[in-house]
Amino acid sequence: MAQSEPRTLFEKIWEAHLVSAETEETPAVLYVDLHLVHEVTSPQAFAVLRERGLKVRRPERTVATMDHSTPTTPGRFVVEDAQCAAQLAELQANCSEHGIELHALGSEQQGIVHVIGPEMGLTQPGMTIVCGDSHTSTHGAFGAFAFGIGTSEVAHVLATQCLLQRRPRTLEVRVEGRLRPGVSAKDLILAVIARLGMAGGAGHVIEYSGPAIRALSMEERMTVCNMSIEAGARAGLIGPDDATFQYLAGRPRAPRAEAWEEALALWRTLTSDPGARYDRSLTIDAAALEPTVTFGTNPSMSAPVVGAVPDPQSLQEPASRAALERALEYMGLRPGQRLLGHPIEVVFIGSCTNSRLEDLRAAASLLRGRKVAPRVRVLVVPGSRQVKRAAEQEGLDQVFREAGAEWREPGCSMCIAMNGDQLRPGQAAVSTSNRNFEGRQGPGGRTFLASPLTAAAAAIKGAIADPRELLR
Amino acid sequence: MEPFKTLESRTVVVARPDIDTDQIIPARFLKGTTRTGLGKHLFAGWPDFPRDEGARVLVAGPNFGCGSSREHAAWALVDYGFRAVVSSSIADIFRANALKNGLLPVAVDEAMHRRLVARPGARVIIDLAQRTLEFEGARVTFAIDPFARRCLLDGTDELGFLLAQQNAIAAHEKERAC
């Protein structure tokens, strides 16, 4: 493509990383700048290297952490589950054998893989970033092309620093206006997913644009990009701007001095050119959005907290009707029922979607001086050790404890329910995580996805609640 | 990997749309460090999953395999005995994972999909070389990436291809100073 032709941000990153372009017969060979690794999806990939006698091509472009299967019990870093312990030990051994930087359980930089990458300044504009985790799209908030891969592909990247890929199509999600008070980035992305549907983004990279996106902080942008996969998209990204550069300046792994100036000059070119064409476009009005909660068993089934549960009879298509019927039965909800006041037993504030300092501040702003409702269990799980430390310096841990919430160690916790933190069958939870699939937070558990503000409001009321009532 | 040529089998049908990888294999079964033995946990949370150990073809609702990137979903389906998943659409990461494990993702048009869903246990013939699925006398062609098809037909994998690109990769690293 000629340089003069206007290109999207995604196209610029794609073309800069082509080792060889795709043909009809073969996919493109795409170079990977940063490979993030965790304990659950990597052991079988390292095994492939052992089977074939291969080395890690660029260990210095590979960074590992422990997050999915680690316990979050306050003050303890003891893994009681023997299988989890063995999996963690294997990661440790693999990283040590191949010379890969590892942030192990209990260490200073440990945390959820998608929290520590940005926090350390590893995640930078224009990069290609992969990880054996579908929420790798989080890093797109910095104007990187970041996407989740399977374990076979983890082996490919370890061995060759490359992946075979067909070029995805582009989808612009333009968000006009401004979010109103009490309405957050989480509500925005839930609305986008509801509009696109679970497969609406399939085969596409989403670029989020428009004034409402520009007005978001970096942490809010991460929340938006994080859930791109819930609309089936390959990745989500946002063009870098001054907010991006300010976030990165001075981070431990960000470029310094002259290298910083050079990087900045390059990063400023990473925007979609005027007139660049997207394969598809969608426009959303931020001002029309309200605090939102999911009522079903996938993230596209959401409604404003002040709304009602939809009636399956209103759906024409038999398969969709049956799916909604099954979802409502699983969730213990009746068609037409109001969402406000629906009782809940657990609140989970955490996950790669909403466990950063601003998320914790938002939740604390409602919990300060208030109490968690009787018989409601509230888990607050910071995304990383650094987030935990920063929150404690601001006294947020005190706010949570005094309100009656648990202040836990960093990890994926109840988002993935393979580390000891999970719902009991039938329990209803408002969670700031990203998936409300059947059994996601424990067999039989019922998940209502929401923002940290809405989750905190639910903790106080013991039911689905409108955070705007408590903000007044 | 064993080459994939043709497959003749009866089907198992799970008609729900948007079957996510947490349904295919819940996270609590992701604590192991090998690719084997996951078949017994396939659809562990679904007491109503129509178990049929002899069937090789799973017919599923649209957007099958959405959600998590866990390749365990493909491993579990293969370990259980499936060699193909047929749907009207298949989620991106799951499709890539399936192809790398000799599990053929077949996306058919909605009319054929409706017919297959309505006839659990029916026999289908899938011919990868011809890219056709045959069912009750009707034959449809399906799309598949030519490279992935070649790998499946030959029983080779992508890693071999990538390893053969070492010179081009080194040249890219040199040119881009990375």
Side-chain angles (χ1 to χ4, degrees):
Chain A
M1 186 183 288
Q3 288 298 311
S4 56
E5 216 171 296
R7 294 184 298 166
T8 64
L9 166 59
F10 165 72
E11 286 163 339
K12 292 180 186 181
I13 302 173
W14 176 265
E15 285 163 19
H17 290 82
L18 284 179
V19 170
S20 63
E22 68 185 299
T23 66
E24 203 181 312
E25 287 305 308
T26 53
V29 177
L30 190 74
Y31 196 79
V32 172
D33 291 321
L34 175 64
H35 185 194
L36 301 168
V37 170
H38 65 81
E39 72 274 22
V40 175
T41 57
S42 67
Q44 299 87 348
F46 283 107
V48 168
L49 266 57
R50 268 193 299 279
E51 285 157 20
R52 302 205 186 187
L54 298 168
K55 286 192 165 63
V56 175
R57 183 181 177 89
R58 301 297 298 268
E60 76 283 12
R61 289 187 170 273
T62 315
V63 177
T65 186
M66 298 175 171
D67 54 5
H68 283 64
S69 59
T70 52
T72 67
T73 319
R76 290 188 71 224
F77 300 105
V78 180
V79 186
E80 279 164 9
D81 184 308
Q83 264 195 304
C84 291
Q87 197 176 54
L88 293 166
E90 185 141 336
L91 180 65
Q92 188 114 39
N94 284 329
C95 288
S96 149
E97 180 187 340
H98 293 280
I100 294 168
E101 173 180 337
L102 168 67
H103 301 286
L105 180 62
S107 69
E108 272 309 291
Q109 302 290 341
Q110 182 260 339
I112 304 175
V113 63
H114 310 309
V115 175
I116 67 166
E119 170 180 278
M120 292 167 76
L122 287 164
T123 301
Q124 294 168 20
M127 279 184 163
T128 46
I129 301 174
V130 301
C131 174
D133 189 288
S134 61
H135 292 110
T136 307
S137 56
T138 311
H139 306 265
F142 292 79
F145 175 39
F147 54 100
I149 56 176
T151 295
S152 294
E153 291 180 323
V154 170
H156 297 176
V157 180
L158 289 173
T160 69
Q161 205 60 31
C162 289
L163 279 174
L164 288 172
Q165 292 284 300
R166 293 284 179 189
R167 192 173 88 161
R169 295 184 293 278
T170 52
L171 164 59
E172 181 185 30
V173 172
R174 189 173 169 81
V175 191
E176 301 286 359
R178 287 289 284 269
L179 293 171
R180 292 183 300 178
V183 184
S184 72
K186 181 63 160 288
D187 303 305
L188 166 56
I189 189 60
L190 284 173
V192 170
I193 296 161
R195 280 281 293 276
L196 285 171
M198 286 293 288
H204 291 76
V205 169
I206 300 176
E207 181 177 342
Y208 301 94
S209 67
I213 297 296
R214 287 288 143 226
L216 296 178
S217 71
M218 288 312 295
E219 295 191 1
E220 291 171 319
R221 292 179 193 186
M222 285 187 246
T223 299
V224 170
C225 289
N226 172 275
M227 289 186 75
S228 303
I229 179 69
E230 311 311 337
R234 203 73 192 83
L237 47 74
I238 295 172
D241 58 15
D242 287 338
T244 319
F245 311 142
Q246 272 163 30
Y247 177 99
L248 283 170
R251 299 260 162 195
R253 309 299 268 278
R256 291 181 182 279
E258 263 177 55
W260 170 261
E261 294 304 325
E262 268 176 44
L264 208 53
L266 171 69
W267 294 347
R268 288 193 191 282
T269 69
L270 295 173
T271 53
S272 287
D273 298 326
R277 281 211 304 270
Y278 299 87
D279 294 299
R280 284 168 61 204
S281 291
L282 171 73
T283 302
I284 286 197
D285 177 13
L289 302 180
E290 297 193 75
T292 298
V293 67
T294 60
F295 54 79
T297 52
N298 73 49
S300 77
M301 297 177 173
S302 69
V305 288
V306 294
V309 175
D311 187 344
Q313 294 308 318
S314 67
L315 298 178
Q316 297 298 315
E317 213 265 303
S320 309
R321 195 186 313 136
L324 181 56
E325 274 168 3
R326 175 160 171 161
L328 298 188
E329 189 190 337
Y330 181 87
M331 293 298 290
L333 296 170
R334 299 180 316 277
Q337 176 189 338
R338 300 209 70 77
L339 286 161
L340 282 180
H342 183 75
I344 52 104
E345 289 123 304
V346 174
V347 169
F348 169 58
I349 297 171
S351 88
C352 58
T353 313
N354 283 122
S355 65
R356 297 174 184 84
L357 189 57
E358 288 175 15
D359 299 316
L360 303 182
R361 283 179 186 152
S365 74
L366 292 193
L367 286 164
R368 186 171 284 115
R370 293 192 173 102
K371 291 284 180 200
V372 166
R375 290 180 296 281
V376 172
R377 181 186 180 201
V378 180
L379 297 88
V380 185
V381 186
S384 70
R385 293 271 283 172
Q386 294 299 309
V387 169
K388 183 170 189 252
R389 197 171 291 273
E392 286 173 351
Q393 270 167 10
E394 293 183 14
L396 301 185
D397 57 323
Q398 274 306 109
V399 173
F400 292 127
R401 280 203 202 90
E402 280 168 15
E406 299 171 29
W407 176 245
R408 302 181 68 90
E409 299 298 336
C412 298
S413 184
M414 206 184 262
C415 175
I416 186 89
M418 60 178 294
N419 44 50
D421 299 345
Q422 65 182 73
L423 296 176
R424 292 197 304 272
Q427 271 191 326
V430 171
S431 295
T432 66
S433 48
N434 39 56
R435 287 185 176 140
N436 51 347
F437 297 148
E438 285 182 21
R440 171 78 180 190
Q441 295 197 278
R446 294 163 167 169
T447 304
F448 295 84
L449 300 176
S451 73
L453 276 177
T454 302
I460 294 158
K461 300 277 191 183
I464 293 175
D466 188 340
R468 293 171 298 193
E469 285 179 19
L470 298 167
L471 284 171
R472 281 175 200 138
Chain B
M1 217 159 44
E2 213 179 297
F4 191 115
K5 305 281 187 212
T6 59
L7 175 65
E8 182 172 358
S9 167
R10 60 180 181 275
T11 63
V12 166
V13 174
V14 283
R16 286 174 67 180
D18 304 314
I19 294 172
D20 58 82
T21 51
D22 276 87
Q23 306 313 306
I24 302 170
I25 181 111
R28 62 184 181 281
F29 303 114
L30 269 48
K31 297 175 184 175
T33 55
T34 65
R35 277 164 280 185
T36 53
L38 291 166
K40 58 182 176 287
H41 304 306
L42 184 69
F43 291 105
W46 287 20
D48 55 345
F49 177 68
R51 299 210 158 251
D52 175 356
E53 313 247 328
R56 297 281 170 267
V57 177
L58 181 70
V59 173
N63 196 29
F64 183 78
C66 61
S68 150
S69 65
R70 63 188 69 165
E71 197 161 319
H72 306 67
W75 298 334
L77 286 160
V78 170
D79 188 52
Y80 183 91
F82 289 116
R83 295 297 309 276
V85 175
V86 182
S87 178
S88 53
S89 63
I90 294 170
D92 290 342
I93 305 179
F94 174 80
R95 185 179 54 240
N97 288 341
L99 286 167
K100 290 171 182 65
N101 289 278
L103 178 67
L104 181 67
V106 179
V108 294
D109 62 71
E110 287 185 12
M112 177 53 102
H113 185 246
R114 270 195 302 274
R115 290 181 59 189
L116 288 166
V117 164
R119 288 286 312 276
R123 290 201 81 76
V124 298
I125 301 168
I126 297 169
D127 184 330
L128 180 58
Q130 300 298 320
R131 296 186 293 111
T132 57
L133 180 145
E134 213 179 307
F135 165 67
E136 290 183 345
R139 184 185 293 188
V140 291
T141 54
F142 57 88
I144 179 171
D145 182 83
F147 181 78
R149 175 165 158 269
R150 178 50 46 205
C151 287
L152 283 172
L153 286 170
D154 296 347
T156 55
D157 70 14
E158 290 184 5
L159 182 52
F161 180 88
L162 272 170
L163 288 167
Q165 311 294 311
Q166 299 280 13
N167 288 345
I169 297 168
H172 178 88
E173 284 173 329
K174 197 169 171 210
E175 186 195 321
R176 298 242 307 147
C178 61

